[in-house]
Amino acid sequence: MSQDLPPVAPSVTAELVEALPPRLRRRLDAGVAKLAARPAVREGDTVRIAVDDETDVVLHAPGGTVTGADAIRCGCLLAPDCLHRAAAASAAPVADDTPAPEPAEAGEAGEAGEDRKEEGQPEETEATATAGQRTAARAVFDAAAAVLEAGTDGAGAVLQAELLRAAHAARLAGLPRACAAAVSVVTGVRAARSADPGYRLADLAAALTGVLGTAHRLPHATGPDLAELRGTARQPYRPDGSLRLYGLFCEPVLTATGYAGAVTWTADADGRLYTVSDVAPGGPARATGAADLAVRIGDTALTHRELSRAGLAVSGATVSPTGRLGAGAGVRAVRASGAAWRGEPLDRLWAVPAAEQVDRALNGGQDLLFLEVTVTGTVRETAGDCLLADCAGLPLRLAAAHDDPALPCRDNLRLLAAAGGSRLRIIARLVPGPLPRALLLAAEHPTDPAARVDLGLDRLQHADLPAGAVAPRSPAVPAGNRDATAPLHLLRRRVHQAVSGGRRVLAFTGSGSGDGARLRRLGLTTAADLLDGLHTAAADRSRDAFGRLLPADTGRFARAWLAAAVYLDTVERALCAGAWEAAASAAPSPDTGRPVGAEP
């Protein structure tokens, strides 16, 4: 996947790949690799790729997105039925398959439409899914199951296009959640196949779990469950009167689908969180530059970076269910004074116990954590060093929110590690797992508690550290921490192996031999049964009367894999909540100085 190319709508990629004859489909993956290695030149809304000295592929992307098959043109003799057009679409990021935003909302990448429904979307008042929705959900499940069957190594451009076609059909049937989940899987597969440094196997496994789970449950869902599984094409915005907001921090946005920008987080006097975003097609340069663009609310001249330290008075506000502020014509906003993190009213955000914040995040609420920690050093992990901190007696790992070298997240993390012993207030995003872990987003300045640092945008210097600060050595992961996750990793590694290698890696004789027995000895009987079922489904290949292998039952294997993945997610969330609650119960009582619940 090449970030130099503009995002292409899923329906366009599916149409171009479907039009290829079988002999060209077999060569499509090689064509994608060749085209991705060629230089791309952008001229306004047009991107030109030089296939060779005489042939160019041109992508016309008005508004930053390719929305029609005729917007991709090729100068070769076989055009328009050539391989190059399909290869260009398959090499580009996948665009959000929704109509273009209104001009007044273009800065929010089509995500801030107010009380509008997409044309052609059915009214979602039915108690059960319609026949068209059930058909679309089955198509998404079958296409995602085929990707899982092949794994990232075998899921080439043709299988990706099948999933994109199913995603487009799901959107037309009024299933935007299934559509978005399918697109995220294709994005993850392309990142894996292109060796994108931002690719994470765990993220792709979670995306596959989401799309398979949604498509599997939807045909049988009713009532509120059905509405949730259908999802919404656009966030509904409701009037919220007048608001007095205080800036908290600003974070960069950089997605694998080709969108970038900034989101500024604010809070009102009651602690409710609101966001102001500016996200559009772009790359790392836009992610860093958007922070210095004016906030698109009312006539205020505040930039996102300034708003994160200042305040905002809004009248006629419109707000989405997730707290995003609308930018409608009736909204008025002016600059107001901000507040320090340790002053009122923001101080109350850090007064909520950590365990309560984690419980809120695990149950579908806001996933931001407001914590006070003491920096203790770093710990080495496979994906890089993590900052170690003590949070009320709980060893907490703080990882970088972004790995892109254009953003200062990881460099800032290394410098903060040198401020060992410093007690800081931080804002982080919860990462569910058996060990307390979060992504570090913002922190107090190491030497000036009145200042704050947006770790994805501001760049710390050695001069910002306490005198004599030296970065500590990075120890390996302690053995006790590895042992704490050992039982579940026996199942998790098989689930992840299937994502990368497909069904065949679990079908080998002796694959995972003994893991089920070990899980049972450790008391994880359900995990053992799911692991055995996964291996059985992978190895199940029937033969016809002549002894020839029949096609594998991809649906059975996908359901067995989905059951194991959902079990892992559920258990890890329970372990995550338990780890934070254990820390809360072990924290010293302010009255006695002993752990809460301890005997006198």
Side-chain angles (χ1 to χ4, degrees):
M1 183 172 62
S2 175
Q3 295 295 342
D4 295 331
L5 302 180
V8 177
S11 56
V12 174
T13 305
E15 178 183 345
L16 292 175
V17 174
E18 185 179 20
L20 292 176
R23 64 179 182 84
L24 291 183
R25 287 193 184 191
R26 290 191 290 268
R27 297 166 49 192
L28 181 56
D29 290 333
V32 170
K34 178 181 178 181
L35 208 65
R38 302 297 297 171
V41 178
R42 185 180 295 270
E43 300 173 356
D45 291 337
T46 300
V47 176
R48 186 179 303 274
I49 309 170
V51 179
D52 52 41
D53 294 339
E54 299 178 354
T55 304
D56 289 345
V57 176
V58 178
L59 292 84
H60 184 56
T65 303
V66 177
T67 57
D70 55 352
I72 302 179
R73 300 186 298 274
C74 180
C76 74
L77 297 177
L78 296 179
D81 300 323
C82 63
L83 181 70
H84 302 132
R85 297 174 69 222
S90 300
V94 186
D96 181 19
D97 197 10
T98 57
E102 298 295 331
E105 299 164 348
E108 299 185 18
E111 297 180 357
E114 298 186 16
D115 294 327
R116 293 186 289 113
K117 286 183 66 68
E118 191 176 330
E119 292 185 8
Q121 293 283 24
E123 292 294 330
E124 298 182 356
T125 57
E126 301 92 346
T128 60
T130 65
Q133 290 175 339
R134 289 194 296 270
T135 300
R138 283 193 294 269
V140 170
F141 185 90
D142 291 342
V147 170
L148 178 63
E149 166 86 8
T152 57
D153 296 338
V158 174
L159 284 181
Q160 296 168 28
E162 292 294 334
L163 185 52
L164 290 177
R165 180 182 296 106
H168 181 63
R171 183 183 70 83
L172 295 179
L175 304 176
R177 179 176 172 181
C179 173
V183 167
S184 67
V185 169
V186 174
T187 299
V189 170
R190 290 183 178 179
R193 293 176 62 86
S194 62
D196 188 331
Y199 166 71
R200 294 291 180 268
L201 178 58
D203 293 341
L204 179 54
L208 269 169
T209 303
V211 68
L212 288 171
T214 299
H216 177 70
R217 293 169 51 202
L218 196 142
H220 315 288
T222 58
D225 288 342
L226 176 60
E228 179 185 357
L229 291 171
R230 280 170 169 160
T232 55
R234 294 186 184 276
Q235 290 278 3
Y237 281 67
R238 304 298 182 208
D240 204 11
S242 298
L243 298 173
R244 175 67 170 89
L245 305 177
Y246 303 86
L248 281 168
F249 74 102
C250 182
E251 66 171 319
V253 175
L254 185 60
T255 71
T257 56
Y259 287 90
V263 173
T264 301
W265 291 80
T266 64
D268 63 10
D270 296 325
R272 184 182 174 188
L273 301 182
Y274 298 83
T275 60
V276 182
S277 63
D278 188 339
V279 181
R286 193 181 196 285
T288 55
D292 296 314
L293 298 179
V295 171
R296 295 176 179 271
I297 296 182
D299 297 325
T300 177
L302 278 172
T303 66
H304 284 269
R305 195 186 300 272
E306 292 170 339
L307 176 57
S308 67
R309 270 84 171 168
L312 201 65
V314 186
S315 63
T318 56
V319 184
S320 78
T322 58
R324 179 179 295 167
L325 291 173
V331 180
R332 298 289 182 268
V334 295
R335 180 173 185 156
S337 59
W341 281 4
R342 293 185 180 271
E344 289 293 337
L346 297 184
D347 182 71
R348 65 187 62 186
L349 293 170
W350 279 266
V352 180
E356 185 176 327
Q357 297 185 51
V358 170
D359 183 68
R360 175 192 63 201
L362 292 175
N363 287 282
Q366 185 53 249
D367 62 353
L368 292 186
L369 303 180
F370 300 86
L371 308 172
E372 191 157 352
V373 303
T374 300
V375 178
T376 59
T378 59
V379 63
R380 185 179 302 125
E381 293 185 344
T382 304
D385 288 354
C386 281
L387 186 67
L388 280 181
D390 178 90
C391 179
L394 172 70
L396 173 63
R397 299 181 183 208
L398 297 170
H402 294 278
D403 288 328
D404 195 292
L407 302 178
C409 301
R410 194 160 290 283
D411 291 339
N412 286 336
L413 210 65
R414 293 191 187 100
L415 282 175
L416 279 178
S422 300
R423 187 159 184 82
L424 306 172
R425 282 191 170 182
I426 65 169
I427 301 176
R429 179 168 286 116
L430 177 68
V431 178
L435 296 175
R437 184 183 181 88
L439 302 178
L440 187 57
L441 302 173
E444 288 179 330
H445 194 280
T447 57
D448 183 6
R452 63 191 75 160
V453 181
D454 295 337
L455 295 172
L457 297 170
D458 303 327
R459 191 174 290 276
L460 286 170
Q461 305 294 332
H462 283 283
D464 297 318
L465 301 179
V470 178
R473 297 181 64 183
S474 301
V477 179
N481 288 340
R482 288 197 298 267
D483 291 342
T485 61
L488 276 183
H489 97 272
L490 296 175
L491 178 60
R492 186 190 303 110
R493 69 182 178 185
R494 300 305 176 192
V495 168
H496 287 180
Q497 280 178 348
V499 174
S500 58
R503 179 192 57 79
R504 62 187 179 276
V505 301
L506 301 183
F508 298 139
T509 303
S511 176
S513 178
D515 287 349
R518 183 179 176 188
L519 287 169
R520 289 187 176 87
R521 287 196 303 271
L522 294 168
L524 297 174
T525 305
T526 302
D529 292 342
L530 290 170
L531 180 58
D532 292 343
L534 185 59
H535 282 296
T536 300
D540 182 22
R541 293 294 301 275
S542 302
R543 296 180 180 271
D544 61 15
F546 299 99
R548 295 173 298 193
L549 283 174
L550 295 174
D553 187 349
T554 58
R556 180 189 174 188
F557 177 68
R559 288 188 293 271
W561 183 90
L562 177 62
V566 170
Y567 170 86
L568 276 174
D569 181 68
T570 303
V571 173
E572 287 185 344
R573 286 177 176 271
L575 290 174
C576 178
W580 289 84
E581 289 172 2
S585 63
S589 167
D591 298 324
T592 66
R594 292 187 298 270
V596 177
E599 293 294 332

